[in-house]
Structure formats: C-alpha cells, structure tokens
Amino acid sequence: MGIYMVCAGVCVLMLEATFLFLFLDLGKWLDSKSDSIRHWQKMALYFALCIPSPMICGSATAWVGSLGFLMAGMAYMVLTIGPKGDGHSRGGPGSVPYGRQMDDLSVA
C-alpha cells in the first residue's frame, strides 16, 4: 500500500509542482501539459486516487492520505463549479422583477 501512496504522491507533484521536474528532459513538456489540463479532469483524477487506498488497507495512514487527495479534489470541484455570480444574472433574491427598478414604481 505504501508504494501506491508514493506513486500517487509523485503523480500529484508532477501535476501541481512541475518546477521540481524541470531538471528532467520531460520537465518542459510536463509543465505545458499540466497547464492545459482542465479543472474537472484534475478533480476526477484526485477522486480516483483517493478510492483504492482505504479499500485495500484500512489503516489510519491510508485514510489520512486518501482524505488529502479527496480535499484536493474538492478544491478543484469548487473551481469547476465556478463563481457564485451577482444574483441579478441568475434571478436570485436580489434580482429586479421584469427589469424594473423600485424607484420606477409609483404608489397611488
């Protein structure tokens, strides 16, 4: 199980900290590929990395490592969903009905 976690950690380092691999020949290629990967693809990778470890070995260290991958995947999930918006564009509670302002309404 330890070998799996080490390989998964190196995979994460290759995606997130590409400057560590610039001394290798594949460093520049890895840097360009890492920037072109979309957030939802990284999210899916992190969620896939967190599954096998606790299933194979249920120790506390396996759970801690898997929770680290899960939290990184959840951070990319937030980036995938995107910003909340201003409420007016989505018709939320702060939106004005039918495009009218409150000052335009006259009370008789």
Side-chain angles (χ1 to χ4, degrees), residues 25-100:
D25 291 334
L26 72 122
K28 291 180 183 176
W29 176 82
L30 186 64
D31 188 35
S32 66
K33 286 294 183 185
S34 175
D35 291 338
S36 67
I37 295 175
R38 295 186 176 139
H39 293 305
W40 69 268
Q41 293 169 334
K42 286 185 180 180
M43 174 193 69
L45 175 71
Y46 286 144
F47 284 157
L49 284 175
C50 78
I51 293 172
S53 177
M55 291 179 74
I56 295 172
C57 175
S59 66
T61 55
W63 280 100
V64 169
S66 292
L67 287 176
F69 289 134
L70 183 68
M71 286 189 286
M74 291 175 79
Y76 276 109
M77 182 175 68
V78 169
L79 289 174
T80 301
I81 293 171
K84 181 180 175 185
D86 58 357
H88 292 288
S89 61
R90 295 187 180 184
S95 65
V96 179
Y98 305 110
R100 296 183 296 177

Side-chain angles (χ1 to χ4, degrees), residues 15-16 62:
L15 284 175
E16 299 298 329

